[in-house]
Amino acid sequence: MSQLYLLHKPYRVLSQFRDDQGRATLADHLDAKGVYPAGRLDYDSEGLLLLSDDGALIHRIAHPRHKQPKTYWVQVEGHIDDAALAALRQGITLKDGPTRPARARRIAAPEVAERTPPVDPKRHPHTGWLELVISEGRNRQVRRMTAHVGFPTLRLIRAAVGPWRLGRLAPGEWRRETLHAPRPASRRSRR
């Protein structure tokens, strides 16, 4: 049995348990020993972060070879147009190479808790939301993709990783699931 923790990582929290600069970390929200994140979310991103005590499970979730789709709700500056959505769906070329095609669509503002601090409506009077599903995980990829098509990201929330959903978890809340998948046998027991 493996333990899987689904945490709603708040905005401005590091995806690690320690920080020598005094920033908020996962330890401020989750008191579980021997667990590690399956992937990362940037300090200025929020949403679903999966953690486990099972290294093989972490690998299956996080490694790009397994292509777990990741669903993001993205608040962008402006109202994203059809041409930008089409470009995201085809895949775009960033400085580190072309992206895989993404699933992209406009959505209504999702029912999520206000961010602290919120996106400033005076600086950004016109915003829109889109849902973006990608199957790779480059550094700051979603932000770079939306900026590339002319709609910079203002708020980024990961809503799902593979079959796991953020659901109604509030920022800082978590839930635990027990997975009954068999762990690989050790070499000694295979003899």
Side-chain angles (χ1 to χ4, degrees):
M1 290 188 301
S2 302
Q3 298 301 312
L4 183 69
Y5 293 81
L6 289 76
L7 170 70
H8 184 156
K9 186 191 90 62
Y11 179 66
R12 293 190 177 161
V13 170
L14 290 173
S15 292
Q16 58 196 43
F17 284 94
R18 294 186 202 171
D19 181 55
D20 57 5
Q21 297 177 26
R23 295 173 289 186
T25 68
L26 299 177
D28 297 314
H29 301 282
L30 180 66
D31 184 23
K33 304 294 181 209
V35 299
Y36 300 93
R40 301 183 72 78
L41 267 177
D42 294 329
Y43 181 68
D44 54 354
S45 297
E46 55 196 294
L48 183 62
L49 185 65
L50 302 175
L51 302 98
S52 181
D53 61 348
D54 181 345
L57 176 61
I58 290 171
H59 178 77
R60 285 192 307 273
I61 293 169
H63 197 279
R65 179 177 60 222
H66 300 291
K67 296 181 179 67
Q68 288 286 344
K70 296 169 192 75
T71 303
Y72 295 89
W73 296 329
V74 190
Q75 185 178 18
V76 295
E77 189 166 5
H79 299 287
I80 195 157
D81 59 33
D82 291 340
L85 288 172
L88 293 169
R89 290 174 186 142
Q90 288 179 323
I92 56 176
T93 301
L94 301 173
K95 288 182 181 179
D96 56 351
T99 66
R100 291 187 183 123
R103 292 194 316 250
R105 66 183 182 103
R106 285 181 208 88
I107 60 171
E111 292 185 28
V112 292
E114 273 296 314
R115 188 183 79 184
T116 302
V119 172
D120 184 353
K122 290 182 182 177
R123 287 187 60 209
H124 308 287
H126 303 288
T127 69
W129 285 87
L130 70 126
E131 182 179 81
L132 194 62
V133 181
I134 62 173
S135 60
E136 51 191 339
R138 300 182 202 181
N139 188 38
R140 300 183 71 80
Q141 181 176 345
V142 170
R143 292 177 189 280
R144 293 188 298 139
M145 289 172 72
T146 64
H148 183 85
V149 297
F151 296 89
T153 294
L154 301 173
R155 186 175 183 191
L156 182 61
I157 303 167
R158 184 159 57 199
V161 176
W164 297 285
R165 305 275 176 251
L166 184 61
R168 298 206 175 272
L169 287 175
E173 288 184 346
W174 57 272
R175 71 179 182 272
R176 182 177 63 202
E177 294 182 4
T178 300
L179 303 179
H180 296 281
R183 291 190 183 201
S186 68
R187 290 177 190 219
R188 191 174 296 145
S189 65
R190 287 186 205 158
R191 291 182 185 168

